[in-house]
Amino acid sequence: DAGVTQSPTHLIKTRGQQVTLRCSPISGHKSVSWYQQVLGQGPQFIFQYYEKEERGRGNFPDRFSARQFPNYSSELNVNALLLGDSALYLCASSLWTGSYGYTFGSGTRLTVV
Amino acid sequence: QQQVKQSPQSLIVQKGGISIINCAYENTAFDYFPWYQQFPGKGPALLIAIRPDVSEKKEGRFTISFNKSAKQFSLHIMDSQPGDSATYFCAASREDSSYKLIFGSGTRLLVRP
């Protein structure tokens, strides 16, 4: 069975640009969560979506947005990129809403220059 | 109250030794305490988890010890192997905001042959 797949794996963007990251959950999983992991730190929660509805949002500015599609895949968008947005962006899927039974993808490494 | 504090930041253990990583939390509403293992270039993978109604949980060489009164929990890796060399994160979540995990800052474990 395929795990959580994220694309692209690596990305380099310039300050002020916009970026879209993609996530495909494990088949049958209806919930997708996004986390930001800055180098040397633990992941920080950004969003959770369940059945295409936002169920939770972390302490991130409005430059961060996300959505979930009918096939349960998800996109994370970040506008007006800052140097501090450089991080590993992780997607996690689970059967239901909540943090139990998360399976993380390998992430997208975003570098803002 | 939302923080999870993890120590040590790094740990070096000889092969066959016991690795011990500690975490402390403030929010008594937390009711789910997982440990994640992360290898370079990969997303975190769930290792073992515990709920506060249990004081200890063992899975193979990995054991979680939980002290509810002290608001602390720890991961013990018995017979540590070089393949266990990775970064370990503790985390916590609460049922009424169960959509997000609060992660510790991580412990880099190196097991020497």
Side-chain angles (χ1 to χ4, degrees):
Chain A
D1 284 343
V4 177
T5 56
Q6 292 188 242
S7 63
T9 54
H10 295 85
L11 202 52
I12 300 175
K13 288 285 189 178
T14 304
R15 278 179 297 174
Q17 285 189 315
Q18 175 264 342
V19 68
T20 298
L21 311 180
R22 296 176 176 82
C23 172
S24 292
I26 291 173
S27 177
H29 283 195
K30 299 182 178 181
S31 178
V32 169
S33 299
W34 288 95
Y35 284 77
Q36 180 196 63
Q37 186 176 22
V38 173
L39 197 62
Q41 297 182 19
Q44 281 202 300
F45 174 78
I46 310 175
F47 286 109
Q48 184 180 87
Y49 277 78
Y50 177 71
E51 290 282 14
K52 302 183 291 295
E53 290 189 3
E54 182 183 305
R55 290 301 182 100
R57 184 185 181 113
N59 188 24
F60 280 80
D62 291 344
R63 299 184 296 107
F64 288 76
S65 63
R67 55 180 175 168
Q68 187 177 32
F69 299 99
N71 67 352
Y72 303 111
S73 67
S74 177
E75 286 182 353
L76 175 70
N77 296 285
V78 187
N79 293 323
L81 285 166
L82 303 174
L83 295 179
D85 296 330
S86 296
L88 180 67
Y89 288 85
L90 295 162
C91 173
S93 78
S94 56
L95 278 169
W96 312 111
T97 186
S99 59
Y100 315 134
Y102 269 177
T103 300
F104 281 92
S106 292
T108 294
R109 171 70 64 187
L110 172 65
T111 303
V112 181
V113 297
Chain B
Q1 271 214 331
Q2 289 292 323
Q3 280 189 323
V4 176
K5 295 182 180 179
Q6 184 172 347
S7 63
Q9 190 172 24
S10 62
L11 182 61
I12 300 174
V13 173
Q14 289 297 125
K15 179 182 175 181
I18 302 174
S19 304
I20 302 174
I21 305 170
N22 301 298
C23 282
Y25 64 97
E26 288 294 324
N27 192 337
T28 56
F30 285 148
D31 65 350
Y32 176 66
F33 302 90
W35 284 89
Y36 282 83
Q37 179 189 56
Q38 186 175 29
F39 293 104
K42 300 292 186 182
L46 179 63
L47 201 56
I48 186 172
I50 199 168
R51 294 188 183 273
D53 54 346
V54 177
S55 61
E56 186 175 281
K57 182 174 181 180
K58 184 176 180 180
E59 289 184 2
R61 296 185 294 109
F62 301 92
T63 300
I64 298 179
S65 296
F66 187 84
N67 186 329
K68 189 173 181 179
S69 61
K71 292 186 285 186
Q72 294 176 347
F73 59 110
S74 59
L75 175 69
H76 295 235
I77 306 175
M78 312 300 288
D79 186 27
S80 299
Q81 299 296 312
D84 297 330
S85 298
T87 300
Y88 292 81
F89 293 96
C90 61
S93 69
R94 47 187 283 189
E95 190 169 358
D96 63 351
S97 62
S98 60
Y99 49 81
K100 69 176 179 180
L101 280 171
I102 309 296
F103 282 86
S105 54
T107 297
R108 294 185 68 176
L109 171 65
L110 175 63
V111 181
R112 290 208 166 123

